[in-house]
Amino acid sequence: MTRTREPLRKCVGCGEMKCKKELIRVGKTPDGEVMLDVDGRLEGRGAYLCRRASCLEAALKRSSFERSLKARLDETLRMSLRKEVEAFEDG
């Protein structure tokens, strides 16, 4: 019996490699729109983030999303990322 492997991705905040399912994906569509990718299935470039507030703040401070996605994050996306991380930490 073969065992399937979980795909690993690197967090843009802390740099740790984790299973793709444990991370939040922010994607950039081919049209250039940057959005939170809840299902992890959007077409285009993506950046992954741990579900910890410290990782989010580190990524925003170092502009890791902008570098990875080659696009700017608007304030509404920053707020939705903060809400997503807070909801995970509270729950």
Side-chain angles (χ1 to χ4, degrees):
M1 187 163 70
T2 61
R3 201 171 107 187
T4 60
R5 290 185 151 179
E6 292 276 337
L8 297 177
R9 299 294 183 261
K10 189 174 188 175
C11 171
V12 295
C14 64
E16 291 181 27
M17 296 292 286
K18 295 191 176 189
C19 292
K20 185 178 175 180
K21 292 179 182 178
E22 297 176 19
L23 302 170
I24 300 170
R25 183 175 189 264
V26 178
K28 178 182 171 190
T29 64
D31 299 334
E33 183 181 358
V34 179
M35 61 178 59
L36 188 61
D37 185 6
V38 180
D39 298 331
R41 296 175 183 233
L42 276 181
E43 190 177 321
R45 182 176 289 274
Y48 293 85
L49 179 73
C50 291
R51 296 179 185 264
R52 294 187 302 218
S54 60
C55 288
L56 175 60
E57 296 307 318
L60 293 175
K61 184 177 179 181
R62 293 191 312 236
S63 301
S64 299
F65 285 111
E66 285 85 357
R67 189 171 37 261
S68 295
L69 299 173
K70 299 179 182 171
R72 288 226 171 268
L73 294 184
D74 61 354
E75 193 58 38
T76 57
L77 183 58
R78 289 174 191 251
M79 293 305 294
S80 62
L81 278 171
R82 284 190 176 102
K83 285 180 186 175
E84 182 79 20
V85 168
E86 286 173 10
F88 183 79
E89 286 185 340
D90 292 341

PDB file of all heavy atoms in Angstrom, residues 41-74:
ATOM      1  N   ARG A  41      -7.466  26.910  -4.264  1.00  0.00           N
ATOM      2  CA  ARG A  41      -7.566  26.416  -5.640  1.00  0.00           C
ATOM      3  C   ARG A  41      -7.547  27.506  -6.700  1.00  0.00           C
ATOM      4  O   ARG A  41      -7.741  27.223  -7.875  1.00  0.00           O
ATOM      5  CB  ARG A  41      -8.857  25.621  -5.794  1.00  0.00           C
ATOM      6  CG  ARG A  41      -8.877  24.391  -4.944  1.00  0.00           C
ATOM      7  CD  ARG A  41     -10.204  23.706  -5.045  1.00  0.00           C
ATOM      8  NE  ARG A  41     -10.221  22.567  -4.156  1.00  0.00           N
ATOM      9  CZ  ARG A  41     -10.543  21.355  -4.539  1.00  0.00           C
ATOM     10  NH1 ARG A  41     -10.906  21.128  -5.764  1.00  0.00           N
ATOM     11  NH2 ARG A  41     -10.534  20.374  -3.676  1.00  0.00           N
ATOM     12  N   LEU A  42      -7.352  28.738  -6.295  1.00  0.00           N
ATOM     13  CA  LEU A  42      -7.319  29.811  -7.289  1.00  0.00           C
ATOM     14  C   LEU A  42      -6.139  29.633  -8.231  1.00  0.00           C
ATOM     15  O   LEU A  42      -5.060  29.232  -7.816  1.00  0.00           O
ATOM     16  CB  LEU A  42      -7.187  31.177  -6.617  1.00  0.00           C
ATOM     17  CG  LEU A  42      -8.439  31.848  -6.115  1.00  0.00           C
ATOM     18  CD1 LEU A  42      -8.089  33.191  -5.503  1.00  0.00           C
ATOM     19  CD2 LEU A  42      -9.440  32.044  -7.214  1.00  0.00           C
ATOM     20  N   GLU A  43      -6.361  29.951  -9.455  1.00  0.00           N
ATOM     21  CA  GLU A  43      -5.303  29.887 -10.449  1.00  0.00           C
ATOM     22  C   GLU A  43      -4.355  31.062 -10.240  1.00  0.00           C
ATOM     23  O   GLU A  43      -4.773  32.155  -9.882  1.00  0.00           O
ATOM     24  CB  GLU A  43      -5.948  29.980 -11.839  1.00  0.00           C
ATOM     25  CG  GLU A  43      -5.016  29.695 -12.967  1.00  0.00           C
ATOM     26  CD  GLU A  43      -5.754  29.738 -14.287  1.00  0.00           C
ATOM     27  OE1 GLU A  43      -6.896  29.267 -14.352  1.00  0.00           O
ATOM     28  OE2 GLU A  43      -5.171  30.273 -15.234  1.00  0.00           O
ATOM     29  N   GLY A  44      -3.086  30.857 -10.455  1.00  0.00           N
ATOM     30  CA  GLY A  44      -2.119  31.943 -10.377  1.00  0.00           C
ATOM     31  C   GLY A  44      -1.132  31.790  -9.236  1.00  0.00           C
ATOM     32  O   GLY A  44      -1.068  30.777  -8.556  1.00  0.00           O
ATOM     33  N   ARG A  45      -0.369  32.835  -9.033  1.00  0.00           N
ATOM     34  CA  ARG A  45       0.685  32.864  -8.024  1.00  0.00           C
ATOM     35  C   ARG A  45       0.083  32.892  -6.625  1.00  0.00           C
ATOM     36  O   ARG A  45      -0.955  33.489  -6.406  1.00  0.00           O
ATOM     37  CB  ARG A  45       1.533  34.118  -8.267  1.00  0.00           C
ATOM     38  CG  ARG A  45       2.704  34.287  -7.349  1.00  0.00           C
ATOM     39  CD  ARG A  45       3.507  35.503  -7.750  1.00  0.00           C
ATOM     40  NE  ARG A  45       4.221  35.314  -8.991  1.00  0.00           N
ATOM     41  CZ  ARG A  45       5.427  34.766  -9.082  1.00  0.00           C
ATOM     42  NH1 ARG A  45       6.042  34.357  -8.013  1.00  0.00           N
ATOM     43  NH2 ARG A  45       6.012  34.647 -10.247  1.00  0.00           N
ATOM     44  N   GLY A  46       0.753  32.258  -5.658  1.00  0.00           N
ATOM     45  CA  GLY A  46       0.241  32.231  -4.302  1.00  0.00           C
ATOM     46  C   GLY A  46       1.334  32.390  -3.261  1.00  0.00           C
ATOM     47  O   GLY A  46       2.499  32.102  -3.512  1.00  0.00           O
ATOM     48  N   ALA A  47       0.941  32.856  -2.090  1.00  0.00           N
ATOM     49  CA  ALA A  47       1.824  32.969  -0.933  1.00  0.00           C
ATOM     50  C   ALA A  47       1.094  32.362   0.250  1.00  0.00           C
ATOM     51  O   ALA A  47      -0.118  32.540   0.396  1.00  0.00           O
ATOM     52  CB  ALA A  47       2.175  34.426  -0.665  1.00  0.00           C
ATOM     53  N   TYR A  48       1.806  31.650   1.090  1.00  0.00           N
ATOM     54  CA  TYR A  48       1.198  30.931   2.197  1.00  0.00           C
ATOM     55  C   TYR A  48       1.624  31.530   3.529  1.00  0.00           C
ATOM     56  O   TYR A  48       2.732  32.034   3.665  1.00  0.00           O
ATOM     57  CB  TYR A  48       1.593  29.453   2.135  1.00  0.00           C
ATOM     58  CG  TYR A  48       0.996  28.757   0.947  1.00  0.00           C
ATOM     59  CD1 TYR A  48       1.619  28.806  -0.290  1.00  0.00           C
ATOM     60  CD2 TYR A  48      -0.209  28.085   1.043  1.00  0.00           C
ATOM     61  CE1 TYR A  48       1.060  28.189  -1.396  1.00  0.00           C
ATOM     62  CE2 TYR A  48      -0.770  27.463  -0.057  1.00  0.00           C
ATOM     63  CZ  TYR A  48      -0.128  27.514  -1.266  1.00  0.00           C
ATOM     64  OH  TYR A  48      -0.686  26.915  -2.361  1.00  0.00           O
ATOM     65  N   LEU A  49       0.719  31.427   4.518  1.00  0.00           N
ATOM     66  CA  LEU A  49       0.939  32.030   5.825  1.00  0.00           C
ATOM     67  C   LEU A  49       0.406  31.114   6.910  1.00  0.00           C
ATOM     68  O   LEU A  49      -0.682  30.550   6.784  1.00  0.00           O
ATOM     69  CB  LEU A  49       0.199  33.374   5.892  1.00  0.00           C
ATOM     70  CG  LEU A  49       0.293  34.154   7.179  1.00  0.00           C
ATOM     71  CD1 LEU A  49       1.692  34.759   7.322  1.00  0.00           C
ATOM     72  CD2 LEU A  49      -0.744  35.254   7.204  1.00  0.00           C
ATOM     73  N   CYS A  50       1.182  30.979   8.004  1.00  0.00           N
ATOM     74  CA  CYS A  50       0.710  30.245   9.185  1.00  0.00           C
ATOM     75  C   CYS A  50      -0.490  30.969   9.770  1.00  0.00           C
ATOM     76  O   CYS A  50      -0.679  32.155   9.549  1.00  0.00           O
ATOM     77  CB  CYS A  50       1.799  30.202  10.257  1.00  0.00           C
ATOM     78  SG  CYS A  50       3.220  29.196   9.845  1.00  0.00           S
ATOM     79  N   ARG A  51      -1.234  30.266  10.564  1.00  0.00           N
ATOM     80  CA  ARG A  51      -2.416  30.854  11.199  1.00  0.00           C
ATOM     81  C   ARG A  51      -2.064  31.445  12.557  1.00  0.00           C
ATOM     82  O   ARG A  51      -2.765  31.237  13.542  1.00  0.00           O
ATOM     83  CB  ARG A  51      -3.510  29.802  11.339  1.00  0.00           C
ATOM     84  CG  ARG A  51      -3.990  29.309   9.993  1.00  0.00           C
ATOM     85  CD  ARG A  51      -5.051  28.246  10.164  1.00  0.00           C
ATOM     86  NE  ARG A  51      -5.431  27.695   8.884  1.00  0.00           N
ATOM     87  CZ  ARG A  51      -6.475  28.102   8.184  1.00  0.00           C
ATOM     88  NH1 ARG A  51      -7.236  29.057   8.631  1.00  0.00           N
ATOM     89  NH2 ARG A  51      -6.765  27.536   7.030  1.00  0.00           N
ATOM     90  N   ARG A  52      -0.964  32.180  12.613  1.00  0.00           N
ATOM     91  CA  ARG A  52      -0.530  32.842  13.850  1.00  0.00           C
ATOM     92  C   ARG A  52      -0.371  34.331  13.584  1.00  0.00           C
ATOM     93  O   ARG A  52       0.099  34.741  12.520  1.00  0.00           O
ATOM     94  CB  ARG A  52       0.812  32.286  14.316  1.00  0.00           C
ATOM     95  CG  ARG A  52       0.752  30.844  14.748  1.00  0.00           C
ATOM     96  CD  ARG A  52       2.055  30.423  15.349  1.00  0.00           C
ATOM     97  NE  ARG A  52       3.128  30.612  14.383  1.00  0.00           N
ATOM     98  CZ  ARG A  52       4.155  29.799  14.231  1.00  0.00           C
ATOM     99  NH1 ARG A  52       4.263  28.733  14.972  1.00  0.00           N
ATOM    100  NH2 ARG A  52       5.082  30.055  13.340  1.00  0.00           N
ATOM    101  N   ALA A  53      -0.764  35.128  14.572  1.00  0.00           N
ATOM    102  CA  ALA A  53      -0.675  36.584  14.436  1.00  0.00           C
ATOM    103  C   ALA A  53       0.766  37.037  14.276  1.00  0.00           C
ATOM    104  O   ALA A  53       1.047  37.976  13.528  1.00  0.00           O
ATOM    105  CB  ALA A  53      -1.311  37.256  15.644  1.00  0.00           C
ATOM    106  N   SER A  54       1.700  36.371  14.943  1.00  0.00           N
ATOM    107  CA  SER A  54       3.113  36.760  14.843  1.00  0.00           C
ATOM    108  C   SER A  54       3.642  36.581  13.418  1.00  0.00           C
ATOM    109  O   SER A  54       4.415  37.406  12.932  1.00  0.00           O
ATOM    110  CB  SER A  54       3.964  35.965  15.833  1.00  0.00           C
ATOM    111  OG  SER A  54       3.864  34.577  15.575  1.00  0.00           O
ATOM    112  N   CYS A  55       3.209  35.534  12.744  1.00  0.00           N
ATOM    113  CA  CYS A  55       3.630  35.311  11.354  1.00  0.00           C
ATOM    114  C   CYS A  55       3.041  36.371  10.425  1.00  0.00           C
ATOM    115  O   CYS A  55       3.720  36.865   9.536  1.00  0.00           O
ATOM    116  CB  CYS A  55       3.224  33.926  10.881  1.00  0.00           C
ATOM    117  SG  CYS A  55       4.185  32.605  11.611  1.00  0.00           S
ATOM    118  N   LEU A  56       1.779  36.713  10.653  1.00  0.00           N
ATOM    119  CA  LEU A  56       1.126  37.731   9.828  1.00  0.00           C
ATOM    120  C   LEU A  56       1.832  39.071   9.980  1.00  0.00           C
ATOM    121  O   LEU A  56       2.147  39.726   8.987  1.00  0.00           O
ATOM    122  CB  LEU A  56      -0.349  37.865  10.191  1.00  0.00           C
ATOM    123  CG  LEU A  56      -1.112  38.975   9.481  1.00  0.00           C
ATOM    124  CD1 LEU A  56      -1.089  38.767   7.973  1.00  0.00           C
ATOM    125  CD2 LEU A  56      -2.527  39.062   9.991  1.00  0.00           C
ATOM    126  N   GLU A  57       2.092  39.475  11.211  1.00  0.00           N
ATOM    127  CA  GLU A  57       2.756  40.764  11.443  1.00  0.00           C
ATOM    128  C   GLU A  57       4.166  40.782  10.863  1.00  0.00           C
ATOM    129  O   GLU A  57       4.587  41.784  10.290  1.00  0.00           O
ATOM    130  CB  GLU A  57       2.768  41.094  12.936  1.00  0.00           C
ATOM    131  CG  GLU A  57       1.380  41.300  13.520  1.00  0.00           C
ATOM    132  CD  GLU A  57       0.535  42.312  12.763  1.00  0.00           C
ATOM    133  OE1 GLU A  57       1.039  43.375  12.352  1.00  0.00           O
ATOM    134  OE2 GLU A  57      -0.666  42.033  12.563  1.00  0.00           O
ATOM    135  N   ALA A  58       4.891  39.668  10.973  1.00  0.00           N
ATOM    136  CA  ALA A  58       6.243  39.591  10.404  1.00  0.00           C
ATOM    137  C   ALA A  58       6.191  39.699   8.884  1.00  0.00           C
ATOM    138  O   ALA A  58       7.009  40.400   8.277  1.00  0.00           O
ATOM    139  CB  ALA A  58       6.916  38.285  10.820  1.00  0.00           C
ATOM    140  N   ALA A  59       5.223  39.027   8.268  1.00  0.00           N
ATOM    141  CA  ALA A  59       5.096  39.071   6.812  1.00  0.00           C
ATOM    142  C   ALA A  59       4.731  40.464   6.327  1.00  0.00           C
ATOM    143  O   ALA A  59       5.253  40.934   5.309  1.00  0.00           O
ATOM    144  CB  ALA A  59       4.058  38.062   6.342  1.00  0.00           C
ATOM    145  N   LEU A  60       3.841  41.143   7.039  1.00  0.00           N
ATOM    146  CA  LEU A  60       3.450  42.493   6.644  1.00  0.00           C
ATOM    147  C   LEU A  60       4.588  43.486   6.858  1.00  0.00           C
ATOM    148  O   LEU A  60       4.815  44.374   6.034  1.00  0.00           O
ATOM    149  CB  LEU A  60       2.210  42.944   7.425  1.00  0.00           C
ATOM    150  CG  LEU A  60       0.919  42.180   7.113  1.00  0.00           C
ATOM    151  CD1 LEU A  60      -0.193  42.632   8.037  1.00  0.00           C
ATOM    152  CD2 LEU A  60       0.522  42.340   5.660  1.00  0.00           C
ATOM    153  N   LYS A  61       5.322  43.322   7.951  1.00  0.00           N
ATOM    154  CA  LYS A  61       6.430  44.225   8.253  1.00  0.00           C
ATOM    155  C   LYS A  61       7.548  44.112   7.220  1.00  0.00           C
ATOM    156  O   LYS A  61       8.125  45.105   6.800  1.00  0.00           O
ATOM    157  CB  LYS A  61       6.972  43.913   9.650  1.00  0.00           C
ATOM    158  CG  LYS A  61       8.054  44.847  10.110  1.00  0.00           C
ATOM    159  CD  LYS A  61       8.489  44.514  11.514  1.00  0.00           C
ATOM    160  CE  LYS A  61       9.592  45.447  11.967  1.00  0.00           C
ATOM    161  NZ  LYS A  61      10.045  45.117  13.323  1.00  0.00           N
ATOM    162  N   ARG A  62       7.837  42.885   6.792  1.00  0.00           N
ATOM    163  CA  ARG A  62       8.925  42.657   5.835  1.00  0.00           C
ATOM    164  C   ARG A  62       8.477  42.717   4.379  1.00  0.00           C
ATOM    165  O   ARG A  62       9.268  42.445   3.478  1.00  0.00           O
ATOM    166  CB  ARG A  62       9.555  41.286   6.099  1.00  0.00           C
ATOM    167  CG  ARG A  62      10.279  41.193   7.411  1.00  0.00           C
ATOM    168  CD  ARG A  62      11.096  39.921   7.480  1.00  0.00           C
ATOM    169  NE  ARG A  62      10.324  38.761   7.074  1.00  0.00           N
ATOM    170  CZ  ARG A  62      10.138  37.678   7.816  1.00  0.00           C
ATOM    171  NH1 ARG A  62      10.649  37.603   9.013  1.00  0.00           N
ATOM    172  NH2 ARG A  62       9.445  36.668   7.355  1.00  0.00           N
ATOM    173  N   SER A  63       7.205  43.001   4.146  1.00  0.00           N
ATOM    174  CA  SER A  63       6.633  43.058   2.790  1.00  0.00           C
ATOM    175  C   SER A  63       6.812  41.737   2.040  1.00  0.00           C
ATOM    176  O   SER A  63       7.042  41.710   0.833  1.00  0.00           O
ATOM    177  CB  SER A  63       7.247  44.198   1.996  1.00  0.00           C
ATOM    178  OG  SER A  63       7.020  45.427   2.624  1.00  0.00           O
ATOM    179  N   SER A  64       6.679  40.640   2.757  1.00  0.00           N
ATOM    180  CA  SER A  64       6.861  39.320   2.157  1.00  0.00           C
ATOM    181  C   SER A  64       5.787  38.993   1.126  1.00  0.00           C
ATOM    182  O   SER A  64       6.067  38.346   0.121  1.00  0.00           O
ATOM    183  CB  SER A  64       6.857  38.245   3.245  1.00  0.00           C
ATOM    184  OG  SER A  64       7.906  38.449   4.142  1.00  0.00           O
ATOM    185  N   PHE A  65       4.554  39.435   1.384  1.00  0.00           N
ATOM    186  CA  PHE A  65       3.488  39.184   0.413  1.00  0.00           C
ATOM    187  C   PHE A  65       3.760  39.929  -0.885  1.00  0.00           C
ATOM    188  O   PHE A  65       3.609  39.372  -1.973  1.00  0.00           O
ATOM    189  CB  PHE A  65       2.124  39.620   0.962  1.00  0.00           C
ATOM    190  CG  PHE A  65       1.573  38.694   1.988  1.00  0.00           C
ATOM    191  CD1 PHE A  65       1.471  39.090   3.301  1.00  0.00           C
ATOM    192  CD2 PHE A  65       1.141  37.423   1.645  1.00  0.00           C
ATOM    193  CE1 PHE A  65       0.940  38.249   4.256  1.00  0.00           C
ATOM    194  CE2 PHE A  65       0.618  36.570   2.586  1.00  0.00           C
ATOM    195  CZ  PHE A  65       0.522  36.987   3.900  1.00  0.00           C
ATOM    196  N   GLU A  66       4.153  41.179  -0.781  1.00  0.00           N
ATOM    197  CA  GLU A  66       4.420  41.971  -1.980  1.00  0.00           C
ATOM    198  C   GLU A  66       5.538  41.350  -2.813  1.00  0.00           C
ATOM    199  O   GLU A  66       5.459  41.302  -4.026  1.00  0.00           O
ATOM    200  CB  GLU A  66       4.775  43.413  -1.605  1.00  0.00           C
ATOM    201  CG  GLU A  66       3.588  44.250  -1.171  1.00  0.00           C
ATOM    202  CD  GLU A  66       3.232  44.102   0.297  1.00  0.00           C
ATOM    203  OE1 GLU A  66       3.877  43.286   1.019  1.00  0.00           O
ATOM    204  OE2 GLU A  66       2.308  44.786   0.735  1.00  0.00           O
ATOM    205  N   ARG A  67       6.545  40.856  -2.136  1.00  0.00           N
ATOM    206  CA  ARG A  67       7.673  40.247  -2.845  1.00  0.00           C
ATOM    207  C   ARG A  67       7.263  38.917  -3.487  1.00  0.00           C
ATOM    208  O   ARG A  67       7.597  38.640  -4.635  1.00  0.00           O
ATOM    209  CB  ARG A  67       8.835  40.042  -1.868  1.00  0.00           C
ATOM    210  CG  ARG A  67      10.107  39.617  -2.503  1.00  0.00           C
ATOM    211  CD  ARG A  67      11.321  39.626  -1.574  1.00  0.00           C
ATOM    212  NE  ARG A  67      11.086  39.221  -0.195  1.00  0.00           N
ATOM    213  CZ  ARG A  67      10.917  40.061   0.842  1.00  0.00           C
ATOM    214  NH1 ARG A  67      10.955  41.362   0.649  1.00  0.00           N
ATOM    215  NH2 ARG A  67      10.740  39.612   2.060  1.00  0.00           N
ATOM    216  N   SER A  68       6.529  38.093  -2.754  1.00  0.00           N
ATOM    217  CA  SER A  68       6.125  36.788  -3.277  1.00  0.00           C
ATOM    218  C   SER A  68       5.104  36.888  -4.403  1.00  0.00           C
ATOM    219  O   SER A  68       5.185  36.162  -5.381  1.00  0.00           O
ATOM    220  CB  SER A  68       5.523  35.940  -2.159  1.00  0.00           C
ATOM    221  OG  SER A  68       6.481  35.641  -1.195  1.00  0.00           O
ATOM    222  N   LEU A  69       4.146  37.791  -4.232  1.00  0.00           N
ATOM    223  CA  LEU A  69       3.071  37.915  -5.209  1.00  0.00           C
ATOM    224  C   LEU A  69       3.376  38.912  -6.321  1.00  0.00           C
ATOM    225  O   LEU A  69       2.654  38.977  -7.309  1.00  0.00           O
ATOM    226  CB  LEU A  69       1.774  38.332  -4.515  1.00  0.00           C
ATOM    227  CG  LEU A  69       1.239  37.361  -3.467  1.00  0.00           C
ATOM    228  CD1 LEU A  69       0.057  37.977  -2.746  1.00  0.00           C
ATOM    229  CD2 LEU A  69       0.866  36.047  -4.102  1.00  0.00           C
ATOM    230  N   LYS A  70       4.409  39.708  -6.113  1.00  0.00           N
ATOM    231  CA  LYS A  70       4.765  40.771  -7.060  1.00  0.00           C
ATOM    232  C   LYS A  70       3.579  41.717  -7.262  1.00  0.00           C
ATOM    233  O   LYS A  70       3.256  42.116  -8.373  1.00  0.00           O
ATOM    234  CB  LYS A  70       5.249  40.192  -8.383  1.00  0.00           C
ATOM    235  CG  LYS A  70       6.486  39.333  -8.210  1.00  0.00           C
ATOM    236  CD  LYS A  70       6.960  38.751  -9.501  1.00  0.00           C
ATOM    237  CE  LYS A  70       8.169  37.869  -9.202  1.00  0.00           C
ATOM    238  NZ  LYS A  70       8.578  37.106 -10.346  1.00  0.00           N
ATOM    239  N   ALA A  71       2.918  42.026  -6.145  1.00  0.00           N
ATOM    240  CA  ALA A  71       1.759  42.937  -6.151  1.00  0.00           C
ATOM    241  C   ALA A  71       1.553  43.486  -4.744  1.00  0.00           C
ATOM    242  O   ALA A  71       2.007  42.893  -3.772  1.00  0.00           O
ATOM    243  CB  ALA A  71       0.506  42.195  -6.601  1.00  0.00           C
ATOM    244  N   ARG A  72       0.880  44.603  -4.641  1.00  0.00           N
ATOM    245  CA  ARG A  72       0.597  45.236  -3.351  1.00  0.00           C
ATOM    246  C   ARG A  72      -0.680  44.654  -2.735  1.00  0.00           C
ATOM    247  O   ARG A  72      -1.619  44.315  -3.441  1.00  0.00           O
ATOM    248  CB  ARG A  72       0.417  46.735  -3.532  1.00  0.00           C
ATOM    249  CG  ARG A  72       1.694  47.449  -3.826  1.00  0.00           C
ATOM    250  CD  ARG A  72       1.733  48.679  -2.933  1.00  0.00           C
ATOM    251  NE  ARG A  72       2.994  49.348  -2.954  1.00  0.00           N
ATOM    252  CZ  ARG A  72       3.982  49.093  -2.096  1.00  0.00           C
ATOM    253  NH1 ARG A  72       3.863  48.157  -1.212  1.00  0.00           N
ATOM    254  NH2 ARG A  72       5.091  49.787  -2.139  1.00  0.00           N
ATOM    255  N   LEU A  73      -0.692  44.573  -1.391  1.00  0.00           N
ATOM    256  CA  LEU A  73      -1.900  44.182  -0.666  1.00  0.00           C
ATOM    257  C   LEU A  73      -2.663  45.435  -0.286  1.00  0.00           C
ATOM    258  O   LEU A  73      -2.075  46.357   0.268  1.00  0.00           O
ATOM    259  CB  LEU A  73      -1.540  43.438   0.620  1.00  0.00           C
ATOM    260  CG  LEU A  73      -0.869  42.089   0.521  1.00  0.00           C
ATOM    261  CD1 LEU A  73      -0.689  41.507   1.909  1.00  0.00           C
ATOM    262  CD2 LEU A  73      -1.666  41.139  -0.327  1.00  0.00           C
ATOM    263  N   ASP A  74      -3.959  45.454  -0.562  1.00  0.00           N
ATOM    264  CA  ASP A  74      -4.738  46.616  -0.129  1.00  0.00           C
ATOM    265  C   ASP A  74      -5.180  46.425   1.325  1.00  0.00           C
ATOM    266  O   ASP A  74      -5.039  45.346   1.902  1.00  0.00           O
ATOM    267  CB  ASP A  74      -5.925  46.860  -1.057  1.00  0.00           C
ATOM    268  CG  ASP A  74      -6.906  45.708  -1.093  1.00  0.00           C
ATOM    269  OD1 ASP A  74      -6.621  44.656  -0.492  1.00  0.00           O
ATOM    270  OD2 ASP A  74      -7.955  45.865  -1.718  1.00  0.00           O
TER     271      ASP A  74
END
